Amino acid sequence: MPYIPQSSYPGAPFWQFNGHLQTLAPSLLRKIDPVPYTRQRITTPDEDFLDLDWWTQGSERLLVLTHGLEGNSTRHYIQGMARLFYENGWDILAWNCRSCSGEMNKAFKLYHHGDIEDINTVINHALREKAYQRTDLTGFSLGANITMKYLGVLGDTCPPQIQSAVVFSAPCALESASILLDRWDNQIYWKKFYKSVGAKMVAKEKDFPGSLPVEKLSEVKEWRDFDEWFSAPICGYRDADEFYEKSSANNFINGIRVPCLLVNAINDPILSPDCMPVELAQSHAHFHLETPASGGHCGFMLPGSTYAWSEFRALEFCSESRR
């Protein structure tokens, strides 16, 4: 399917003149009326739990939303997407990754960029419980990577109800994205993520003594250190190299058999050029890639609009796509 270099995104408000402002402003300033979710807790196959937030109206169509690193179902990009799709007749399921719903999960395992077991559990549960005729997926950042890997790994065995997927700001080449995160002008993101996930490593060590080298937290100098000492072992990988290889969605896109649109902004401050898989899009029957010049990371705000362009783009793609 096509690579789309000429995006329909018209650009951010004039004062958001670079990728950092386009990333940070929506997170800090965007106001979305809270979605009136109904929470459901389900048990995973390994006896842990996941918290699912539903907003339903008896529709036969469901949108499943997956948030980004250290996000949750209340993030602006989740609630904005949920509201627009609900207004257009869809039921909504915004699920929270392990440890992200306000309560630490029970198992040693945490969520990560390459974990597709939990999204598989969520989708199978939703399809059993509600018998939806159509289910579409959207994800952001980490959630975008998870969504694409899930579709790629399942391939032809993907549930027939899943008709399309639209994902945004995916770090689908994790090693190069982690290197970019170390850059001096990205320290605001580095410190934010490190403080949050570092605290979770300490909590896991308390629950599972001797499982993690928390004394090394003070020695982390670059993001690869964290992935080597913490991400890899807690996610069940040998080392950072195996974690990057087996978690990067780029390595699984070839298997996708559902119409899937990836939107990554060229000026996204924490995505590397490797996260723009142009050749894959040009030769793949189901994978679309759109690369707006601007938009930042999970930004895509529009002047004078309650909704972000990403939300209109997702609705457009899902409304037009079918397997």
Side-chain angles (χ1 to χ4, degrees):
M1 284 295 174
Y3 164 51
I4 311 168
Q6 298 300 320
S7 173
S8 63
Y9 180 49
F14 74 94
W15 56 272
Q16 295 177 23
F17 51 82
N18 62 32
H20 292 296
L21 285 172
Q22 291 162 19
T23 299
L24 296 170
S27 181
L28 296 172
L29 303 177
R30 190 179 180 202
K31 304 299 182 184
I32 299 291
D33 290 337
V35 171
Y37 293 127
T38 298
R39 175 154 292 186
Q40 179 186 33
R41 177 165 290 187
I42 64 173
T43 302
T44 63
D46 63 345
E47 298 302 316
D48 207 342
F49 67 88
L50 293 170
D51 285 332
L52 282 52
D53 288 330
W54 293 88
W55 191 20
T56 63
Q57 54 188 325
S59 177
E60 294 183 346
R61 298 176 295 173
L62 175 70
L63 182 70
V64 178
L65 302 100
T66 307
H67 61 75
L69 182 64
E70 290 301 275
N72 55 55
S73 62
T74 67
R75 296 294 289 137
H76 70 90
Y77 53 79
I78 294 287
Q79 296 204 86
M81 191 73 74
R83 282 201 164 276
L84 185 62
F85 272 76
Y86 187 89
E87 289 173 2
N88 282 272
W90 301 66
D91 278 6
I92 303 299
L93 170 54
W95 68 286
N96 298 275
C97 294
R98 300 184 189 215
S99 79
C100 293
S101 63
E103 180 179 341
M104 183 61 71
N105 67 305
K106 297 186 296 184
F108 177 63
K109 172 185 174 181
L110 276 177
Y111 74 107
H112 63 88
H113 286 80
D115 176 35
I116 63 171
E117 294 177 2
D118 285 349
I119 192 173
N120 189 56
T121 296
V122 168
I123 291 172
N124 288 340
H125 169 79
L127 295 178
R128 285 195 308 269
E129 182 150 301
K130 304 283 187 178
Y132 286 102
Q133 297 299 306
R134 174 176 182 144
T135 299
D136 295 73
L137 313 179
T138 187
F140 307 85
S141 195
L142 169 142
N145 191 84
I146 288 174
T147 300
M148 288 193 294
K149 182 183 173 183
Y150 165 79
L151 293 174
V153 170
L154 266 63
D156 291 326
T157 66
C158 184
Q161 295 93 334
I162 296 178
Q163 293 295 311
S164 75
V166 187
V167 297
F168 298 90
S169 306
C172 47
L174 283 172
E175 183 172 14
S176 61
S178 72
I179 293 171
L180 190 62
L181 193 61
D182 292 330
R183 206 169 62 184
W184 69 270
D185 56 336
N186 281 331
Q187 288 304 293
I188 186 172
Y189 315 112
W190 198 103
K191 291 177 180 179
K192 176 179 181 293
F193 290 144
Y194 179 67
K195 179 180 180 180
S196 183
V197 297
K200 289 184 177 181
M201 298 304 111
V202 173
K204 284 300 178 188
E205 170 61 19
K206 288 181 179 178
D207 290 340
F208 300 90
S211 60
L212 292 169
V214 292
E215 70 280 358
K216 286 184 173 291
L217 282 170
S218 61
E219 301 176 27
V220 172
K221 303 302 181 187
E222 56 187 27
W223 200 258
R224 185 187 179 90
D225 294 337
F226 186 87
D227 288 336
E228 181 75 24
W229 297 331
F230 298 97
S231 300
I234 205 167
C235 300
Y237 296 114
R238 179 185 65 249
D239 53 22
D241 286 334
E242 185 180 34
F243 171 60
Y244 295 145
E245 177 187 356
K246 295 188 176 180
S247 297
S248 297
N250 273 5
N251 297 329
F252 302 91
I253 287 173
N254 276 330
I256 292 175
R257 296 295 179 266
V258 172
C260 177
L261 171 64
L262 166 61
V263 180
N264 277 354
I266 296 296
N267 75 341
D268 189 317
I270 57 178
L271 296 187
S272 66
D274 291 338
C275 296
M276 315 292 170
V278 174
E279 292 185 3
L280 278 171
Q282 291 173 331
S283 60
H284 200 299
H286 306 284
F287 176 64
H288 307 242
L289 173 65
E290 187 166 345
T291 55
S294 62
H297 192 79
C298 297
F300 304 106
M301 288 185 72
L302 289 169
S305 176
T306 300
Y307 290 111
W309 169 84
S310 50
E311 290 143 21
F312 291 118
R313 185 68 179 98
L315 181 63
E316 176 186 42
F317 187 84
C318 291
S319 298
E320 295 176 350
S321 300
R322 182 172 290 275
R323 291 168 72 173

